[in-house]
Amino acid sequence: DVIVGFPGETDEHFKETYHFLKDLDISYLHVFTYSEREKTVAAEMNNPVPMHIRKERNKQLRSLSEIKRRAFYRSQLTQTRPVLFETFDENGFFTGFTDNYVKVQAIVPEDSRHKIIDMRLDEIGSSALVKATRTVSVVG
């Protein structure tokens, strides 16, 4: 979790944070834009960051997060991972998550909801997910 635009955050502070996060071996950032809350100490602090700058910083960190997520997903391709399938869409695809939180989309039997199925991670698709094909085992 990262908050951008806290009162007193300078351009230099933000650049330092950005480069620190860029160098970390992480796969995702949950980015929040600071917003004032009445009757809090932070709401009374000096040097508020203008909202347009907060939004731009948020955008930059979300972009960094997407780059990191895609790099992590690429590192998982060709692996076989257990996937817990949760949702079924109108196009016949199930979506679920691996044990290391890769979002996966696949065509599996209709009774696959809430089951864990070993899947081979084949390619990065659209919508920040990995397309997968079924292997042999089903758990649960």
Side-chain angles (χ1 to χ4, degrees):
D1 290 347
V2 183
I3 297 175
V4 295
F6 194 79
E9 179 185 80
T10 64
D11 288 342
E12 189 57 40
H13 290 143
F14 177 74
K15 287 177 189 174
E16 184 179 322
T17 298
Y18 182 92
H19 291 293
F20 174 75
L21 294 170
K22 183 178 177 187
D23 292 340
L24 280 180
D25 185 21
I26 57 175
S27 60
Y28 177 74
L29 299 167
H30 197 177
V31 183
F32 299 91
T33 300
Y34 171 77
S35 60
E36 289 79 4
R37 299 288 189 257
E38 270 187 51
K39 300 180 183 179
T40 63
V41 173
E44 304 300 320
M45 294 177 77
N46 295 327
N47 303 317
V49 177
M51 187 56 76
H52 73 278
I53 293 174
R54 293 182 214 178
K55 288 180 179 182
E56 177 57 31
R57 290 175 181 172
N58 182 300
K59 183 178 172 182
Q60 289 178 44
L61 289 184
R62 287 181 187 269
S63 177
L64 176 62
S65 179
E66 184 60 25
I67 290 166
K68 288 188 156 290
R69 179 173 37 190
R70 286 193 168 274
F72 177 66
Y73 281 10
R74 273 192 306 278
S75 77
Q76 302 301 298
L77 294 180
T78 73
Q79 291 187 28
T80 297
R81 308 289 307 198
V83 178
L84 173 60
F85 286 101
E86 299 172 338
T87 59
F88 183 73
D89 70 23
E90 66 279 352
N91 298 317
F93 290 99
F94 266 98
T95 303
F97 290 92
T98 64
D99 57 334
N100 60 351
Y101 214 65
V102 172
K103 189 174 184 180
V104 173
Q105 181 184 62
I107 296 176
V108 291
E110 287 189 32
D111 65 348
S112 296
R113 181 174 289 160
H114 306 300
K115 290 186 180 175
I116 299 171
I117 302 173
D118 287 336
M119 302 294 293
R120 182 178 187 278
L121 306 181
D122 294 323
E123 65 180 282
I124 298 174
S126 60
S127 305
L129 52 78
V130 172
K131 294 182 179 183
T133 52
R134 185 176 183 171
T135 59
V136 270
S137 64
V138 177
V139 181

